[in-house]
Amino acid sequence: SYELTQPPSVSVSPGQTARITCSGDALPKQYAYWYQQKPGQAPVLVIYKDSERPSGIPERFSGSSSGTTVTLTISGVQAEDEADYYCQSADSRAHVVFGGGTKLTVL
Amino acid sequence: QVQLQESGPGLVKPSQTLSLTCTVSGGSISSGSYYWSWIRQPAGKGLEWIGRIYTSGSTNYNPSLKSRVTISVDTSKNQFSLKLSSVTAADTAVYYCARIVVVTATQYYFDYWGQGTLVTVSS
């Protein structure tokens, strides 16, 4: 079955840049999407179609794609950005796949 | 602003069927080209997609759950529902309903989510 691989954790100091990667064999052909989830809350879409940002999402959130890896970049990290981040894509049969999630810690 | 709200029993006995309903407000479930989906998350773990439905009744399920899952839609009530049969403790999770935005035939994402409801499987 198709899998997306994320690092379990990423740590950065406030004001620095956080990069969270997501790897999957189908990513060169399929878009990736990113969700932010804070404790006790539902996930929130922060990036769609690899690099598009929904309205209301701060400009410090950006996405990029290169080969089999997509990257969520948070520039000028703030304490409020501490959360779990999940990438999402789908296989050729439209079955949704989520990455295992990355816990972003703001030191 | 579209809102989704999950409802249903918070406790289900092993081997029984889990049943949840998602009520959509702020818009018609039949308007636009949206699909509707269920996703779950065991405590401390990641997200798992369960399946999706279109208002025509067309469904697509996670292969790992397909034999036990049924998703249905009631457009007159602006609701869609999940049934998961033969549950075990491994099905204990927060269950979310969500709206799907279709990008291509095989690509879509979730733009609105319910708050989630905890379902515990225990005798």
Side-chain angles (χ1 to χ4, degrees):
Chain A
S1 61
Y2 182 42
E3 293 184 354
L4 296 174
T5 302
Q6 299 180 234
S9 62
V10 168
S11 299
V12 295
S13 299
Q16 291 190 329
T17 296
R19 295 180 178 85
I20 300 172
T21 59
C22 173
S23 299
D25 290 341
L27 289 178
K29 296 173 289 186
Q30 303 277 57
Y31 287 121
Y33 310 87
W34 290 95
Y35 302 87
Q36 175 194 67
Q37 186 181 34
K38 296 182 178 180
Q41 298 183 18
V44 172
L45 180 73
V46 294
I47 293 290
Y48 66 100
K49 290 173 63 176
D50 290 347
S51 59
E52 302 290 325
R53 193 174 53 249
S55 61
I57 300 301
E59 291 184 5
R60 63 180 181 275
F61 287 86
S62 64
S64 61
S65 176
S66 179
T68 58
T69 299
V70 293
T71 302
L72 172 68
T73 300
I74 310 172
S75 304
V77 166
Q78 301 182 6
E80 67 196 53
D81 299 329
E82 185 163 287
D84 293 327
Y85 290 86
Y86 294 90
C87 62
Q88 175 244 310
S89 189
D91 65 18
S92 59
R93 290 174 295 174
H95 296 148
V96 167
V97 178
F98 288 100
T102 298
K103 181 176 180 59
L104 175 65
T105 300
V106 181
L107 301 169
Chain B
Q1 176 86 351
V2 173
Q3 294 185 311
L4 296 89
Q5 178 68 57
E6 307 88 351
S7 60
L11 181 64
V12 181
K13 289 181 166 51
S15 80
Q16 294 191 341
T17 296
L18 177 160
S19 296
L20 295 174
T21 296
C22 182
T23 300
V24 179
S25 59
S28 170
I29 199 171
S30 301
S31 66
S33 299
Y34 299 111
Y35 285 66
W36 305 90
S37 191
W38 288 96
I39 297 146
R40 70 180 183 178
Q41 184 174 36
K45 297 188 178 181
L47 301 166
E48 180 179 32
W49 175 69
I50 298 172
R52 70 172 192 185
I53 191 166
Y54 189 56
T55 50
S56 65
S58 171
T59 55
N60 192 356
Y61 299 134
N62 184 327
S64 68
L65 298 170
K66 185 176 182 179
S67 63
R68 298 194 293 130
V69 173
T70 302
I71 298 177
S72 59
V73 64
D74 187 337
T75 54
S76 67
K77 294 182 179 179
N78 234 32
Q79 296 176 333
F80 63 104
S81 298
L82 168 70
K83 290 188 185 299
L84 181 66
S85 64
S86 305
V87 297
T88 68
D91 295 309
T92 295
V94 174
Y95 285 75
Y96 295 100
C97 58
R99 189 178 82 167
I100 290 172
V101 175
V102 177
V103 177
T104 69
T106 60
Q107 283 287 285
Y108 48 99
Y109 61 92
F110 309 97
D111 64 342
Y112 286 99
W113 296 64
Q115 65 184 28
T117 187
L118 174 63
V119 178
T120 301
V121 178
S122 175
S123 55

